[in-house]
Amino acid sequence: MRPRSGSSSSGRVARWSGIGAAAILGLASVAGSAGNITVKGSDTMVLLAQKWAEVYQKQNPGVAIQVTGGGSGTGIAALINGTCDIANSSRELKGSERKLALSSGVDIKEFPVALDAICVVVHPNNPVSELSTEQIKGIYTGAINDWRQVGGTPGIIMRYSRENNSGTYAFMKEQILQNKDYAADCQTMPGTAALADAVARDPLGIGYGGVAYFLSRTDCKVVRVKGASGVAVSPLTDDGKSIAYERVYSREYPISRYLYCYTPGTPRGETKAYLDWILSPAGQGIAKAEGYIPLPARTGN
Amino acid sequence: MPRKRQRALSLAALAAIGLLVPKGATAQTPPQFVNKTSETLTFGGYVQTRWQYTDQKDALPSNTFRIRRARLKVQAVVTPRIKPTVEVDVVPTSVVMKDVFIDYLFSPRGYFTLRMGHWKKPFSREELRSSSALLVVDRGRLSEEFGPSKLAYQERDMGVAVLGDFYEAKIPVEYQVGVFNGTGANTATDADGRKSYVGRVEAIPVAGLSIGANVNLTDRGVNRASGAADTLAYPGLDDHVWTNAYGIDAKFQKRGLVLEGEFRTGDNWRGSTLPATASARVKNKTAVREGVTARGAYLTAVYKIPVSMPPLVAVEPGLRVETYDPNTDVKKDGSTLITPYLGLWANEASGTRVQLNAVIDQPQASGQKTVTTYVVQLQTRY
């Protein structure tokens, strides 16, 4: 690699060493920056995160909070890269993310901030009103392909799913598909709203997403889901106009999950104050008002 | 083109299209969509181009532009458990196989994966780090001496391994243990039955601090080819001569600062003399211990500082200090290398940066002169 001969220069070695060390030590002191709160991540949580930010900024005029979506994976990657202060995620950290964070010197802290029930939705004209978790698994893995197989009128099932950076996608895969792969003909939608639009247009469609998205939509039908108990349960109240919180807290409705905020290390300063407020009755009240499910301990549930 | 021939070709094309159309296509079928929910194929790679200059005037080339690496990597997900990988390097005169292996995941969480094929033996943190993510432009003297065409403890090879990590279970430990041919990279077959047993374990006890340990136990043969000296080599016939190497390493990373160090030691079988008699080369014994030991260490520090000077997004000064001793029984036969470094980052996500290095190679023996090699490298990942 490096032939040996040429100009002798032990002084040069020392000089280069000195310059390098000085550069590192001198420039190291430049590090560190303060700023506003940047929040990035889960599309499922983006409506809630925007509302939290809006209200908090009104109450704290000196604070600026920037909220963007992109998916849970995007937010966590940004957190590890140091380009956001809070990552919203609708799933727990993956092993690969934990490894990357730890090796990068980022000790990620996890804060459950709300709950979410995942709705399974079909077109309003679809006669199917309930599905078991096994049937949902069968539909999304491709084992069940015709509505007739689940008590509906004959017709090829059109499966709508989310992109793989979606926490909801990952949650469904792990909890319902039991880590089996999605069927190859699933159509990938860029967000829950797009997925809901697709199901609303397609009489043979099926989709899934956070319950908050489907509270106000009459063009999608939320099906009841039968879990281990064998009883088909809806995440909505009987009139379909609000969330059945008790069914989620008691796990009677079988597809629910925590929603998380992640921070790079123990939060401090404004980020800590903001997270404390999110977990306070005021923040949890907003979660409820926006169609999410507040944490049970904070609501007395 | 004559009209008759044109017509015949058109008919043939239509017939071919007809054959390609699925039989049920005439019936009404729902539209099929490309599967985007599972990454069936992922393409990636990186390119490194550089200018290199050495102040040793009689060295060739002493002043040259070159393409250091041009990699293309394809990873597939055949099923959630079966994941093949192929990586090649496109060099000016040929295409060289780098990684070709199949992973079979026994555990979906990544705890246990079986790998078979051709890839880097799990030895040395620096060696396993992608060359597109090195802290300075090139790996150091230690990797050169322990690598291919020298002591060959760390190189690509064909074999089988079990690897995995437990991060999903919140246990920050990963490992890889494998058996390899011991014949090195891109060797079509294993001429002897001897194997190389290599393992590595790495843990992150606290955020930012990663520590690792490696071991390589390689059974090498004795070269008794016609006319060859009685030396250790890969294609031996009868004898089993074990050559071993060990290493420990650590990396600390916090914000923009990265500190990395490594110590490696091993039998310098190329500098060894075998026991004089065949009976001394007892089967499965470490006969090479009558030889010599090589060892070395390095410490690298870099610090990345974000800047707002388009197109630059960060500057990264660094320094690497390395020492290598090819024979621990002999004093002042090694060398010390000092590598000041500056990285100018244009895009962090793709690793696009200009890297400037000056490798100052100072032999410890008196009378030998220092050689400085300058490198300016531009690299990007895709």
Side-chain angles (χ1 to χ4, degrees):
Chain A
M1 184 173 76
R2 286 169 286 276
R4 293 177 184 179
S5 69
S7 59
S8 174
S9 177
S10 58
R12 188 190 302 172
V13 173
R15 194 162 60 245
W16 272 110
S17 310
I19 291 168
I24 290 169
L25 294 173
L27 291 171
S29 61
V30 181
S33 63
N36 302 318
I37 302 173
T38 305
V39 182
K40 195 177 274 189
S42 167
D43 285 321
T44 300
M45 295 172 68
V46 74
L47 292 177
L48 174 60
Q50 283 169 345
K51 192 67 182 176
W52 271 334
E54 181 190 326
V55 175
Y56 189 81
Q57 286 176 111
K58 273 184 191 163
Q59 294 174 3
N60 301 271
V63 180
I65 303 171
Q66 186 191 0
V67 178
T68 53
S72 300
T74 305
I76 292 165
L79 194 75
I80 296 169
N81 291 338
T83 54
C84 74
D85 303 298
I86 296 174
N88 288 335
S89 177
S90 57
R91 58 166 173 78
E92 288 189 359
L93 281 187
K94 292 179 184 172
S96 56
E97 292 165 339
R98 196 177 302 280
K99 175 184 174 183
L100 182 61
L102 282 172
S103 62
S104 303
V106 181
D107 186 14
I108 290 184
K109 300 294 182 190
E110 178 182 280
F111 298 89
V113 290
L115 281 98
D116 185 30
I118 305 293
C119 290
V120 176
V121 293
V122 297
H123 191 274
N125 294 342
N126 192 325
V128 172
S129 293
E130 63 180 60
L131 291 167
S132 69
T133 49
E134 272 303 306
Q135 286 172 324
I136 297 167
K137 177 186 172 187
I139 289 171
Y140 273 101
T141 55
I144 296 173
N145 294 298
D146 197 297
W147 283 111
R148 186 176 42 194
Q149 294 171 269
V150 290
T153 51
I156 299 293
I157 297 173
M158 299 301 297
R159 297 171 259 258
Y160 294 96
S161 182
R162 293 290 314 280
E163 290 171 318
N164 63 7
N165 64 346
S166 154
T168 315
Y169 165 95
F171 176 84
M172 286 292 283
K173 184 172 180 179
E174 186 178 320
Q175 298 295 320
I176 303 300
L177 275 61
Q178 291 163 331
N179 285 312
K180 297 237 178 311
D181 213 7
Y182 282 90
D185 61 359
C186 279
Q187 186 174 5
T188 301
M189 308 305 292
T192 308
L195 179 144
D197 291 343
V199 173
R201 283 194 302 267
D202 189 345
L204 298 174
I206 184 170
Y208 59 83
V211 67
Y213 275 96
F214 296 101
L215 270 178
S216 58
R217 294 196 68 138
T218 55
D219 52 358
C220 292
K221 182 166 77 174
V222 176
V223 301
R224 294 190 299 275
V225 178
K226 203 187 296 179
S229 69
V231 179
V233 177
S234 171
L236 304 180
T237 51
D238 293 342
D239 60 6
K241 290 182 179 170
S242 60
I243 298 167
Y245 296 104
E246 288 303 329
R247 294 177 190 163
V248 177
Y249 292 140
S250 66
R251 304 242 172 207
E252 192 185 351
Y253 181 73
I255 318 178
S256 65
R257 59 181 171 173
Y258 278 98
L259 302 176
Y260 302 93
C261 283
Y262 288 103
T263 60
T266 305
R268 293 194 179 88
E270 204 54 61
T271 303
K272 181 181 185 312
Y274 182 50
L275 275 171
D276 286 345
W277 177 82
I278 284 172
L279 294 169
S280 74
Q284 293 296 294
I286 289 169
K288 189 172 184 177
E290 289 298 307
Y292 295 82
I293 302 163
L295 295 171
R298 301 278 170 175
T299 58
N301 290 303
Chain B
M1 186 182 291
R3 180 167 284 194
K4 265 190 172 178
R5 197 175 166 195
Q6 246 181 347
R7 196 173 163 189
L9 280 174
S10 303
L11 286 170
L14 284 171
I17 290 167
L19 285 173
L20 289 173
V21 173
K23 287 198 163 59
T26 49
Q28 190 179 357
T29 55
Q32 297 295 305
F33 300 100
V34 176
N35 173 20
K36 292 176 184 168
T37 57
S38 172
E39 310 89 329
T40 51
L41 274 181
T42 307
F43 292 88
Y46 58 94
V47 171
Q48 294 174 335
T49 58
R50 66 168 58 172
W51 169 75
Q52 190 166 322
Y53 173 84
T54 175
D55 63 2
Q56 185 190 22
K57 301 300 179 199
D58 55 350
L60 289 174
S62 63
N63 181 354
T64 184
F65 292 101
R66 60 186 291 215
I67 295 169
R68 181 67 183 85
R69 293 179 181 89
R71 296 285 173 89
L72 180 62
K73 185 175 186 175
V74 185
Q75 289 179 298
V77 180
V78 177
T79 75
R81 287 184 186 276
I82 302 171
K83 299 181 178 180
T85 296
V86 174
E87 182 175 342
V88 295
D89 196 17
V90 184
V91 294
T93 52
S94 64
V95 176
V96 178
M97 178 177 82
K98 290 296 176 182
D99 289 340
V100 178
F101 59 80
I102 299 171
D103 279 349
Y104 183 87
L105 280 69
F106 282 104
S107 155
R109 295 180 185 275
Y111 301 154
F112 304 103
T113 295
L114 180 73
R115 175 175 294 179
M116 196 163 189
H118 179 272
W119 78 102
K120 277 185 178 176
K121 287 188 281 196
F123 190 89
S124 162
R125 176 184 296 272
E126 181 187 47
E127 183 65 19
L128 295 176
R129 186 195 287 268
S130 165
S131 49
S132 67
L134 293 173
L135 297 180
V136 296
V137 173
D138 284 317
R139 296 185 181 88
R141 168 65 51 82
L142 202 50
S143 282
E144 182 188 349
E145 296 293 339
F146 276 63
S149 79
K150 297 278 181 89
L151 299 182
Y153 289 116
Q154 49 189 64
E155 58 182 343
R156 284 184 168 82
D157 204 343
M158 291 196 200
V160 62
V162 177
L163 60 142
D165 67 61
F166 303 101
Y167 287 95
E168 198 79 44
K170 301 185 180 178
I171 301 169
V173 174
E174 61 186 292
Y175 68 96
Q176 188 175 158
V177 183
V179 183
F180 298 84
N181 276 344
T183 49
N186 298 318
T187 307
T189 55
D190 189 2
D192 57 26
R194 298 182 179 83
K195 292 289 174 276
S196 179
Y197 303 86
V198 191
R200 173 176 172 79
V201 62
E202 191 175 327
I204 304 181
V206 294
L209 177 63
S210 168
I211 52 176
N214 326 284
V215 59
N216 181 320
L217 312 173
T218 297
D219 182 7
R220 301 184 203 274
V222 178
N223 188 357
R224 287 177 175 167
S226 177
D230 191 9
T231 55
L232 281 169
Y234 294 119
L237 293 173
D238 304 319
D239 297 322
H240 291 260
V241 182
W242 288 91
T243 61
N244 305 331
Y246 310 91
I248 52 170
D249 52 69
K251 188 193 83 166
F252 177 76
Q253 185 168 347
K254 193 74 178 174
R255 297 192 177 89
L257 177 68
V258 181
L259 295 170
E260 183 175 292
E262 192 162 347
F263 169 79
R264 273 170 266 176
T265 183
D267 295 316
N268 184 349
W269 52 276
R270 289 198 183 275
S272 303
T273 38
L274 281 170
T277 62
S279 61
R281 302 179 194 122
V282 182
K283 197 172 184 179
N284 292 329
K285 297 290 183 186
T286 315
V288 80
R289 277 190 182 154
E290 296 178 20
V292 300
T293 300
R295 72 182 174 202
Y298 73 83
L299 182 65
T300 305
V302 297
Y303 192 87
K304 191 190 288 183
I305 306 153
V307 296
S308 298
M309 293 188 296
L312 292 186
V313 296
V315 296
E316 187 180 45
L319 182 69
R320 173 196 179 98
V321 180
E322 182 176 25
T323 178
Y324 177 69
D325 182 355
N327 184 351
T328 52
D329 295 334
V330 177
K331 291 190 185 303
K332 292 191 174 180
D333 60 337
S335 56
T336 302
L337 288 86
I338 309 288
T339 307
Y341 166 80
L342 183 65
L344 304 172
W345 290 74
N347 183 287
E348 297 222 34
S350 65
T352 304
R353 61 191 190 271
V354 177
Q355 300 172 290
L356 300 97
N357 243 18
V359 182
I360 304 160
D361 183 353
Q362 188 177 33
Q364 291 164 352
S366 58
Q368 289 197 303
K369 296 184 177 176
T370 298
V371 174
T372 304
T373 303
Y374 302 91
V375 179
V376 178
Q377 177 168 282
L378 172 62
Q379 78 155 23
T380 188
R381 287 195 301 264
Y382 43 88

PDB file of all heavy atoms in Angstrom, chain B residues 319-332:
ATOM      1  N   LEU B 319      -8.771  12.382  13.142  1.00  0.00           N
ATOM      2  CA  LEU B 319      -7.372  11.959  13.264  1.00  0.00           C
ATOM      3  C   LEU B 319      -7.340  10.477  13.626  1.00  0.00           C
ATOM      4  O   LEU B 319      -8.120  10.014  14.457  1.00  0.00           O
ATOM      5  CB  LEU B 319      -6.663  12.757  14.363  1.00  0.00           C
ATOM      6  CG  LEU B 319      -5.187  12.439  14.557  1.00  0.00           C
ATOM      7  CD1 LEU B 319      -4.371  12.930  13.362  1.00  0.00           C
ATOM      8  CD2 LEU B 319      -4.661  13.067  15.842  1.00  0.00           C
ATOM      9  N   ARG B 320      -6.429   9.788  12.962  1.00  0.00           N
ATOM     10  CA  ARG B 320      -6.273   8.372  13.261  1.00  0.00           C
ATOM     11  C   ARG B 320      -4.797   8.110  13.557  1.00  0.00           C
ATOM     12  O   ARG B 320      -3.912   8.581  12.835  1.00  0.00           O
ATOM     13  CB  ARG B 320      -6.716   7.558  12.050  1.00  0.00           C
ATOM     14  CG  ARG B 320      -6.467   6.077  12.139  1.00  0.00           C
ATOM     15  CD  ARG B 320      -6.599   5.477  10.729  1.00  0.00           C
ATOM     16  NE  ARG B 320      -6.342   4.063  10.783  1.00  0.00           N
ATOM     17  CZ  ARG B 320      -7.289   3.135  10.837  1.00  0.00           C
ATOM     18  NH1 ARG B 320      -8.548   3.487  10.809  1.00  0.00           N
ATOM     19  NH2 ARG B 320      -6.978   1.874  10.902  1.00  0.00           N
ATOM     20  N   VAL B 321      -4.548   7.347  14.619  1.00  0.00           N
ATOM     21  CA  VAL B 321      -3.186   6.955  14.970  1.00  0.00           C
ATOM     22  C   VAL B 321      -3.153   5.436  15.037  1.00  0.00           C
ATOM     23  O   VAL B 321      -4.015   4.819  15.671  1.00  0.00           O
ATOM     24  CB  VAL B 321      -2.770   7.547  16.336  1.00  0.00           C
ATOM     25  CG1 VAL B 321      -1.345   7.136  16.677  1.00  0.00           C
ATOM     26  CG2 VAL B 321      -2.884   9.061  16.323  1.00  0.00           C
ATOM     27  N   GLU B 322      -2.162   4.837  14.370  1.00  0.00           N
ATOM     28  CA  GLU B 322      -2.133   3.390  14.283  1.00  0.00           C
ATOM     29  C   GLU B 322      -0.704   2.884  14.411  1.00  0.00           C
ATOM     30  O   GLU B 322       0.234   3.533  13.942  1.00  0.00           O
ATOM     31  CB  GLU B 322      -2.709   2.952  12.931  1.00  0.00           C
ATOM     32  CG  GLU B 322      -2.776   1.444  12.766  1.00  0.00           C
ATOM     33  CD  GLU B 322      -3.439   1.048  11.454  1.00  0.00           C
ATOM     34  OE1 GLU B 322      -3.411   1.856  10.510  1.00  0.00           O
ATOM     35  OE2 GLU B 322      -3.979  -0.066  11.391  1.00  0.00           O
ATOM     36  N   THR B 323      -0.584   1.735  15.026  1.00  0.00           N
ATOM     37  CA  THR B 323       0.741   1.120  15.109  1.00  0.00           C
ATOM     38  C   THR B 323       0.621  -0.355  14.746  1.00  0.00           C
ATOM     39  O   THR B 323      -0.384  -1.004  15.058  1.00  0.00           O
ATOM     40  CB  THR B 323       1.348   1.311  16.514  1.00  0.00           C
ATOM     41  OG1 THR B 323       2.613   0.650  16.549  1.00  0.00           O
ATOM     42  CG2 THR B 323       0.462   0.730  17.609  1.00  0.00           C
ATOM     43  N   TYR B 324       1.623  -0.880  14.067  1.00  0.00           N
ATOM     44  CA  TYR B 324       1.603  -2.293  13.683  1.00  0.00           C
ATOM     45  C   TYR B 324       2.983  -2.901  13.890  1.00  0.00           C
ATOM     46  O   TYR B 324       4.000  -2.316  13.503  1.00  0.00           O
ATOM     47  CB  TYR B 324       1.200  -2.451  12.215  1.00  0.00           C
ATOM     48  CG  TYR B 324       1.253  -3.897  11.768  1.00  0.00           C
ATOM     49  CD1 TYR B 324       0.338  -4.823  12.258  1.00  0.00           C
ATOM     50  CD2 TYR B 324       2.231  -4.342  10.879  1.00  0.00           C
ATOM     51  CE1 TYR B 324       0.392  -6.158  11.876  1.00  0.00           C
ATOM     52  CE2 TYR B 324       2.288  -5.673  10.483  1.00  0.00           C
ATOM     53  CZ  TYR B 324       1.368  -6.574  10.991  1.00  0.00           C
ATOM     54  OH  TYR B 324       1.421  -7.888  10.623  1.00  0.00           O
ATOM     55  N   ASP B 325       3.002  -4.075  14.510  1.00  0.00           N
ATOM     56  CA  ASP B 325       4.252  -4.779  14.757  1.00  0.00           C
ATOM     57  C   ASP B 325       4.135  -6.171  14.131  1.00  0.00           C
ATOM     58  O   ASP B 325       3.376  -7.011  14.623  1.00  0.00           O
ATOM     59  CB  ASP B 325       4.482  -4.894  16.277  1.00  0.00           C
ATOM     60  CG  ASP B 325       5.797  -5.578  16.613  1.00  0.00           C
ATOM     61  OD1 ASP B 325       6.471  -6.050  15.675  1.00  0.00           O
ATOM     62  OD2 ASP B 325       6.135  -5.639  17.812  1.00  0.00           O
ATOM     63  N   PRO B 326       4.851  -6.461  13.064  1.00  0.00           N
ATOM     64  CA  PRO B 326       4.705  -7.756  12.391  1.00  0.00           C
ATOM     65  C   PRO B 326       5.323  -8.913  13.166  1.00  0.00           C
ATOM     66  O   PRO B 326       4.999 -10.071  12.924  1.00  0.00           O
ATOM     67  CB  PRO B 326       5.428  -7.548  11.060  1.00  0.00           C
ATOM     68  CG  PRO B 326       6.412  -6.468  11.330  1.00  0.00           C
ATOM     69  CD  PRO B 326       5.808  -5.593  12.367  1.00  0.00           C
ATOM     70  N   ASN B 327       6.231  -8.630  14.090  1.00  0.00           N
ATOM     71  CA  ASN B 327       6.886  -9.696  14.856  1.00  0.00           C
ATOM     72  C   ASN B 327       7.205  -9.164  16.242  1.00  0.00           C
ATOM     73  O   ASN B 327       8.098  -8.327  16.417  1.00  0.00           O
ATOM     74  CB  ASN B 327       8.167 -10.137  14.140  1.00  0.00           C
ATOM     75  CG  ASN B 327       8.834 -11.309  14.845  1.00  0.00           C
ATOM     76  OD1 ASN B 327       8.449 -11.692  15.953  1.00  0.00           O
ATOM     77  ND2 ASN B 327       9.846 -11.879  14.200  1.00  0.00           N
ATOM     78  N   THR B 328       6.497  -9.666  17.227  1.00  0.00           N
ATOM     79  CA  THR B 328       6.652  -9.117  18.572  1.00  0.00           C
ATOM     80  C   THR B 328       8.003  -9.470  19.188  1.00  0.00           C
ATOM     81  O   THR B 328       8.394  -8.897  20.205  1.00  0.00           O
ATOM     82  CB  THR B 328       5.530  -9.641  19.492  1.00  0.00           C
ATOM     83  OG1 THR B 328       5.506 -11.073  19.403  1.00  0.00           O
ATOM     84  CG2 THR B 328       4.191  -9.085  19.094  1.00  0.00           C
ATOM     85  N   ASP B 329       8.712 -10.416  18.580  1.00  0.00           N
ATOM     86  CA  ASP B 329      10.024 -10.793  19.107  1.00  0.00           C
ATOM     87  C   ASP B 329      11.136  -9.850  18.641  1.00  0.00           C
ATOM     88  O   ASP B 329      12.251  -9.896  19.149  1.00  0.00           O
ATOM     89  CB  ASP B 329      10.379 -12.219  18.665  1.00  0.00           C
ATOM     90  CG  ASP B 329       9.433 -13.240  19.281  1.00  0.00           C
ATOM     91  OD1 ASP B 329       8.885 -12.927  20.364  1.00  0.00           O
ATOM     92  OD2 ASP B 329       9.226 -14.303  18.681  1.00  0.00           O
ATOM     93  N   VAL B 330      10.815  -9.070  17.666  1.00  0.00           N
ATOM     94  CA  VAL B 330      11.829  -8.170  17.105  1.00  0.00           C
ATOM     95  C   VAL B 330      11.434  -6.732  17.404  1.00  0.00           C
ATOM     96  O   VAL B 330      10.287  -6.340  17.204  1.00  0.00           O
ATOM     97  CB  VAL B 330      11.955  -8.369  15.574  1.00  0.00           C
ATOM     98  CG1 VAL B 330      12.961  -7.392  14.980  1.00  0.00           C
ATOM     99  CG2 VAL B 330      12.341  -9.813  15.259  1.00  0.00           C
ATOM    100  N   LYS B 331      12.386  -5.971  17.899  1.00  0.00           N
ATOM    101  CA  LYS B 331      12.091  -4.584  18.237  1.00  0.00           C
ATOM    102  C   LYS B 331      12.233  -3.691  16.999  1.00  0.00           C
ATOM    103  O   LYS B 331      13.058  -3.946  16.125  1.00  0.00           O
ATOM    104  CB  LYS B 331      13.040  -4.091  19.327  1.00  0.00           C
ATOM    105  CG  LYS B 331      12.779  -4.746  20.675  1.00  0.00           C
ATOM    106  CD  LYS B 331      13.562  -4.051  21.763  1.00  0.00           C
ATOM    107  CE  LYS B 331      13.423  -4.757  23.109  1.00  0.00           C
ATOM    108  NZ  LYS B 331      12.051  -4.900  23.574  1.00  0.00           N
ATOM    109  N   LYS B 332      11.440  -2.678  16.964  1.00  0.00           N
ATOM    110  CA  LYS B 332      11.497  -1.631  15.945  1.00  0.00           C
ATOM    111  C   LYS B 332      11.433  -2.166  14.511  1.00  0.00           C
ATOM    112  O   LYS B 332      12.177  -1.734  13.641  1.00  0.00           O
ATOM    113  CB  LYS B 332      12.766  -0.800  16.129  1.00  0.00           C
ATOM    114  CG  LYS B 332      12.742   0.022  17.415  1.00  0.00           C
ATOM    115  CD  LYS B 332      13.864   1.028  17.460  1.00  0.00           C
ATOM    116  CE  LYS B 332      13.731   1.927  18.669  1.00  0.00           C
ATOM    117  NZ  LYS B 332      14.788   2.923  18.768  1.00  0.00           N
TER     118      LYS B 332
END
